[in-house]
Amino acid sequence: MYQTLIACSELAAIIDDTDVIVVDCRFDLGAPAAARAAWLEAHVPGAVYAHLDDDLSGPPTTDRGRHPLPPPATIAARCGRLGIGDGSQVVIYDDSHGMVAARLWWMLRYLGHRPVAVLDGGWQHWVASGLPVRAGAESHPPRALGATPQVSRLVRIEAIDEAMCLLDARDEARYRGECEPVDPHAGHIPGAYNHCWRNNLAEDGRFLPPAALRERLTRALGRAPDESITHYCGSGVSACHNILAQYIAGGGEARLYAGSWSEWCRSPEHRGMMD
């Protein structure tokens, strides 16, 4: 059972297993329809497609962020339509070094589904390894996926306070408020530390070893990471990459503030804290 990362060679060895469901999560924020077209053109054999906006986000029931987290029953139903069932080993990949794939990894973990892993190196490494690809639409018979939400892993805006240890996954310039290309206000939640999700990666685009991840997270936080850490980013996507990195590093399964900066900076009660 793979629960964090899976190497391309490992996936190639099990890809024909009927209990293995591969999900392509490629996504381009500037061209939301482009990745689905890219999936149709070529993908890992058997991979179904999940769209960040349409499948991994939903109506703002838990937050007011740009990529609201759907209710647990909706997540389970959507994953079931992809062919993911209670016994499925799920493998997720993208072409953005696991940034979007980690969102679905977290969502399935949030439901209580454990056999789920991100393809280390993603689409680029699969192709560079000379492994087979396939064109055209793929699908699997729908399956039932149970939902036992791990409610302690999800943080809502009203729970955030000065005593909470927050880690911002955005790049340093956005964290410092020097620029804000997407949201209406620049800056970060007061008291938050910063660890850009890209700092989890080696030069080849794969995750760093556990010891290196732990060292970098410890440096960012000023202490060792543990389950009390709450991760956030712009809209609750790249923060999941840091949660995955922390879990790989042996720091426990941290919490996600799904609304993230896109929700927090829009809240009237926080406006004075940003001025």
Side-chain angles (χ1 to χ4, degrees):
M1 183 169 64
Y2 296 91
Q3 295 194 53
T4 54
L5 300 174
I6 183 170
C8 289
S9 58
E10 291 172 322
L11 175 58
I14 64 171
I15 199 166
D16 293 328
D17 191 321
T18 56
D19 286 331
V20 174
I21 303 296
V22 182
V23 185
D24 185 321
C25 284
R26 283 178 282 176
F27 183 78
D28 183 345
L29 186 64
R36 193 186 301 273
W39 166 70
L40 288 170
E41 182 178 340
H43 53 259
V44 173
V48 292
Y49 183 73
H51 191 278
L52 176 60
D53 289 339
D54 300 338
D55 300 310
L56 309 187
S57 305
T61 55
T62 61
D63 54 71
R64 299 188 296 273
R66 284 184 280 107
H67 290 111
L69 189 69
T74 300
I75 299 172
R78 290 178 182 177
C79 289
R81 288 196 293 270
L82 294 175
I84 299 171
D86 290 331
S88 300
Q89 170 66 66
V90 184
V91 177
I92 314 160
Y93 73 89
D94 58 30
D95 58 358
S96 51
H97 308 299
M99 189 266 285
V100 180
R103 163 82 168 209
L104 181 54
W105 173 87
W106 185 89
M107 291 169 69
L108 284 164
R109 299 278 298 188
Y110 170 59
L111 292 188
H113 190 81
R114 296 297 178 183
V116 53
V118 170
L119 182 64
D120 200 13
W123 173 245
Q124 295 95 321
H125 197 69
W126 181 270
V127 173
S129 300
L131 293 166
V133 301
R134 198 150 68 201
E138 303 257 13
S139 64
H140 299 290
R143 296 182 65 184
L145 179 65
T148 306
Q150 311 299 296
V151 293
S152 64
R153 303 271 64 87
L154 179 65
V155 173
R156 301 181 189 232
I157 191 169
E158 59 269 17
I160 294 176
D161 58 37
E162 294 179 358
M164 185 174 288
C165 187
L166 295 161
L167 191 60
D168 188 321
R170 296 173 301 162
D171 65 64
E172 291 83 354
R174 289 183 71 189
Y175 167 78
R176 291 193 296 263
E178 297 169 1
C179 66
E180 182 46 65
V182 185
D183 294 311
H185 303 282
H188 62 264
I189 299 174
Y193 299 94
N194 180 230
H195 175 78
C196 178
W197 66 273
R198 293 184 181 87
N199 292 333
N200 300 322
L201 302 168
E203 291 185 3
D204 65 0
R206 288 182 287 183
F207 276 77
L208 290 165
L213 289 172
R214 187 173 184 84
E215 189 277 329
R216 291 192 178 189
L217 287 164
T218 298
R219 189 192 318 154
L221 290 162
R223 66 177 179 87
D226 58 34
E227 293 186 355
S228 71
I229 308 299
T230 296
H231 294 261
Y232 80 94
C233 54
S235 63
V237 179
S238 62
C240 298
H241 200 278
N242 275 357
I243 294 174
L244 173 57
Q246 178 174 325
Y247 192 63
I248 294 168
E253 198 153 1
R255 302 179 297 183
L256 173 68
Y257 168 35
S260 288
W261 180 250
S262 60
E263 176 187 38
W264 201 92
C265 76
R266 287 173 169 83
S267 300
E269 60 268 33
H270 296 138
R271 198 59 42 78
M273 300 174 70
M274 294 181 285
D275 294 339

